Amino acid sequence: MYMDLKSTTLATLLRLAVLNVCSFIQYAASQTATTPELEIPPISDNRTISIVNNCSFPVYPAVLTTNGTGPYTTGFYLPSKQSRNIWVGWDWSGRLWARTNCSFYLVNATTSAKIRDVVDNFTIPDGQKLAGNCLTGDCGSAVECQLSGLAPTTLAEFTMTGWMEQTFYDISLVDGYDLDMKITPFHDSPEKPRVNNTPICVASTTLSSPLSGTDLYQNSINESFSFNNIHRWCPRQNLLFNSQKGKQSVFPYPDDNDPTIGGGWTPCLSACAYSQSEWDCCTGKHDKAETCGPNLYSRRAKQVCGDAYSYAYDDFLSTFAVPSVKGEGFEVMFCPGGVSTNILKTLLGSGSTSGLEFLGRGLWVSVIVILGLLLSGW
């Protein structure tokens, strides 16, 4: 779901619930690379989100709360191949993303002269201030974000307790794409993932890899994409950079004439982030589903990431739901590898999985939702 402030309203949750039911029936101050241990305040009836950096480079995960009890941190440094847990309240709604290519440093508060590089800013000495920024997902000169990240950025979005006691979640490319992402909901523990409710978006040829072992088993509903499918899905004008030749970056430029790059990728601005038009952003006179449809960017994004939000009203093929229960956990992984899932479209159009079988697997919104709406006269 497109998690701006309006998406937390009851009307939006009702609409998401109905869209899910109808489609189913048819079908997140040190100079070292070590992150300090923090004392975690207790949160009643909390939900755990494990943030995993599976990338070959460090990132700065960030969290923005739009409603409810937010986590103990809104941003931190996460080295490659490491993870950290955050806890949010049962009433939490918000978004989570990774900032890339970040550089933070302390400067003199008066003269702005650089003093030294830092990784985290838990303690800033008197007379100094933090400076620096990130290439994607930037929220200003701060390790802990107070604002949403600048586009383009791949988002994980959550409403922990929504309509009919469901947790709604999604991967969103509405603000653009910068990193591959995977969201895994856990039933009781990380050893019990709800595997058929695990959306994966892999839009980078350099970060993708063939599925094998448990990954292949746990993600049986996958749509594999060839090199050419992924290589140029982003409209050229939406690319964040014109060229990356000769530059050191986690985003090499997809240049057919440079075999050493091998079809890498650069961040991709969404149509809304690029043009800011009412049509592309579904605002103004186009602020409803009837007057705002998919554009070139969203169509191509949907081709490579079938389970991800591609524009504001891409609800029924993008929103996942599981029962909201105490202790329910989630894992958000950056650079998961493998291939993109196309679970919702596959189930909607497949005769191999019936609606009842699908409900039994956990990705469901009860038919009672529709009955309740009808009885209430909605």
Side-chain angles (χ1 to χ4, degrees), residues 105-124:
Y105 48 94
L106 292 174
V107 299
N108 184 288
T110 303
T111 66
S112 295
K114 182 176 179 179
I115 298 173
R116 60 186 174 89
D117 293 322
V118 296
V119 171
D120 282 322
N121 69 331
F122 295 106
T123 301
I124 299 178

Side-chain angles (χ1 to χ4, degrees), residues 38-53:
L38 298 179
E39 182 178 350
I40 312 304
I43 299 176
S44 176
D45 192 13
N46 62 34
R47 305 292 192 268
T48 302
I49 301 178
S50 179
I51 304 174
V52 181
N53 179 15

